[in-house]
Amino acid sequence: MWDDLHPVGRVASTGGYRRFALTGEDHTLHEWFAEQSVRRGLDLTSDRMGNQWAWWGNPDEAPGQGVVIGSHLDSVPDGGAYDGPLGVVSAFAVIDALREQGFAPDRPLGVVNFVDEEGARFGVACAGSRVITGALDADRARGLADVDGVTMAEALRAAGRDPHEIGRDDETLRRVGCFVELHVEQGRALADLDPETSAVAIGTNIWPHGRWRIDLPGMANHAGTTRLEDRQDATLLAAELVLAARAEAQRHATVATVGKLRLEPGGVNAIASHATVWLDSRGPVEADVRATVAALSDETAQRGGTIVEESWTPTTAFDAGLVSQLRQVLGDEVPLLGTGAGHDAGILATAGVPTAMLFVRNPTGVSHSPEEFAEQDDCHRGVAALTKVVQDLAAGAGSSPDQAGPS
Ligand code: GLV
Ligand code: MN
Ligand code: MN
């Protein structure tokens, strides 16, 4: 499976991946997922947002019973190979392992590929899971635009899809009894623990996090002939905001990142008439993230700019019953890990689906970068852990800590 995925969207110069929603690369990855499903005799469906679900067993015969594993295949710009794909590849490997063992699940098993998890193109992370759970309004999703001004509706049409099909999908969610997303670790929490017992961790919660778009005004003028005191330079305002983000994050014990900004008109010899700064802020305490952004809103207003919230996800705790079931299955010595990264698992948890995560050790601790890594042995340990978990969850209706579907 890794050999198939290796070349898709790979940037030769960096070794990173560019796999963005509704592009040719995305299409290739969806075809790959479909092929893997068909090869295993799984029933493949796509929901209203285009998330792919491959079922072993009929989830409509046992509503609210489906045990779902999987993740996403899209990436951030020049992202690593593991963030997302490790969860999807592992899910298929779990199906193979269960079949080799002759396991006959009592509950339907599903493998999911969520679309547009990173929000790299249209700005809203986890758009696939947000739309089907209703956390992202379909009208708003259709109107989101990429940097070239192409809206999601236009991109859907270009991909041969009807933009009006997207929306909340209760029929799909009714099938899901629980969701366990395996993911590469995105920090160095596990690397320094006992190597014998820390290849895999159980996720406990996701930090509150959000994205904001800040627009700052300027006036285009000549880079050579305009006196410094006469300039209205949007770039300078953007630079001040970037530094303020760092200072406010420090003050409020959060993190704040400007990883993307755009200057218009973008000429080397022209003063910028407009700057757009995208802010990502997160932290362990919701009020502190809010305070960070409130301070930056003031800084923006003082400079005549505007700030708009593009997405917000409150603190997400994974299902306590499911987490303790995972601990029973995998052993109390398995580390517990909170994370500052967002995941579709968090969106499903907020929608009322009993959800948990497994993290596979990343010795570099680096993620959203070509340096992202996991040792092959650790990946196998991740598959073995997820196999045990699924075996336990899918053996006999009634073994789930919470069989209720999403509320
Ligand atoms: C997704 O990986 C995010 O945390 O931004
Ligand atoms: Mn990611
Ligand atoms: Mn991910």
Side-chain angles (χ1 to χ4, degrees):
M1 286 188 270
W2 288 116
D3 286 347
D4 293 345
L5 292 173
H6 180 75
V8 185
R10 192 160 192 272
V11 182
S13 56
T14 64
Y17 288 93
R18 293 183 165 239
R19 297 167 169 169
F20 306 148
L22 298 167
T23 59
E25 290 77 17
D26 199 31
H27 180 72
T28 303
L29 292 163
H30 277 70
E31 284 190 324
W32 176 83
F33 185 92
E35 192 193 307
Q36 294 300 317
S37 308
V38 169
R39 186 180 292 179
R40 291 171 175 81
L42 306 174
D43 291 326
L44 180 70
T45 61
S46 285
D47 63 28
R48 292 187 62 194
M49 187 57 183
N51 303 305
Q52 293 175 294
W53 305 78
W55 287 101
W56 175 8
N58 184 348
D60 294 322
E61 272 176 9
Q65 290 289 310
V67 175
V68 178
I69 52 180
S71 190
H72 62 96
L73 293 173
D74 65 310
S75 78
V76 297
D78 288 15
Y82 298 86
D83 176 356
L86 182 60
V88 176
V89 166
S90 298
F92 283 126
V94 165
I95 302 284
D96 296 344
L98 291 174
R99 286 179 169 169
E100 269 165 34
Q101 294 167 22
F103 180 75
D106 287 318
R107 296 171 62 178
L109 291 188
V111 178
V112 65
N113 169 28
F114 281 110
V115 298
D116 203 5
E117 194 274 348
E118 300 289 5
R121 180 168 178 195
F122 297 106
V124 176
C126 300
S129 52
R130 280 186 210 269
V131 167
I132 61 159
T133 56
L136 173 59
D137 177 68
D139 272 337
R140 194 180 152 223
R142 279 187 281 268
L144 294 170
D146 67 13
V147 282
D148 299 319
V150 178
T151 64
M152 189 184 284
E154 289 163 347
L156 282 163
R157 240 179 255 115
R161 306 241 312 269
D162 176 0
H164 291 286
E165 274 172 11
I166 73 166
R168 194 185 160 103
D169 193 336
D170 290 322
E171 196 185 332
T172 290
L173 289 171
R174 252 196 304 278
R175 298 173 178 149
V176 185
C178 62
F179 176 46
V180 182
E181 181 172 1
L182 178 146
H183 205 277
V184 68
E185 184 195 6
Q186 294 178 285
R188 267 187 54 88
L190 299 181
D192 300 328
L193 300 179
D194 176 356
E196 287 309 309
T197 56
S198 60
V200 177
I202 297 170
T204 51
N205 68 297
I206 299 180
W207 283 5
H209 57 281
R211 295 181 182 190
W212 292 263
R213 174 189 162 126
I214 296 170
D215 282 282
L216 297 160
M219 199 181 98
N221 213 331
H222 196 287
T225 59
T226 316
R227 295 181 308 180
L228 290 178
E229 57 271 33
D230 292 339
R231 294 176 183 217
Q232 293 171 45
D233 187 344
T235 309
L236 282 184
L237 302 187
E240 287 166 8
L241 252 297
V242 171
L243 293 174
R246 171 73 182 217
E248 294 302 334
Q250 229 141 22
R251 187 171 357 264
H252 296 287
T254 58
V255 290
T257 307
V258 176
K260 173 174 163 182
L261 56 80
R262 189 171 65 198
L263 302 173
E264 285 166 39
V268 177
N269 55 355
I271 294 160
S273 61
H274 191 98
T276 309
V277 174
W278 281 270
L279 172 74
D280 177 310
S281 185
R282 317 178 188 210
V285 179
E286 215 163 288
D288 292 339
V289 180
R290 287 299 189 188
T292 305
V293 177
L296 293 170
S297 298
D298 289 346
E299 299 274 355
T300 301
Q302 281 162 25
R303 290 166 177 80
T306 56
I307 179 164
V308 175
E309 185 171 289
E310 290 196 326
S311 68
W312 169 252
T313 310
T315 309
T316 311
F318 293 125
D319 185 83
L322 193 55
V323 169
S324 81
Q325 189 169 350
L326 263 57
R327 291 192 80 186
Q328 263 172 31
V329 173
L330 300 177
D332 277 346
E333 67 281 7
V334 172
L336 299 174
L337 209 62
T339 175
H343 300 283
D344 295 304
I347 305 300
L348 261 59
T350 303
V353 177
T355 297
M357 289 190 76
L358 291 178
F359 291 107
V360 172
R361 175 167 55 198
N362 173 351
T364 66
V366 176
S367 183
H368 284 183
S369 148
E371 302 304 313
E372 188 178 84
F373 186 61
E375 298 285 356
Q376 200 178 80
D377 282 351
D378 286 352
C379 294
H380 288 152
R381 290 184 180 115
V383 171
L386 188 60
T387 304
K388 275 193 189 171
V389 163
V390 171
Q391 238 167 0
D392 191 62
L393 288 167
S399 67
S400 161
D402 180 351
Q403 309 224 334
S407 54

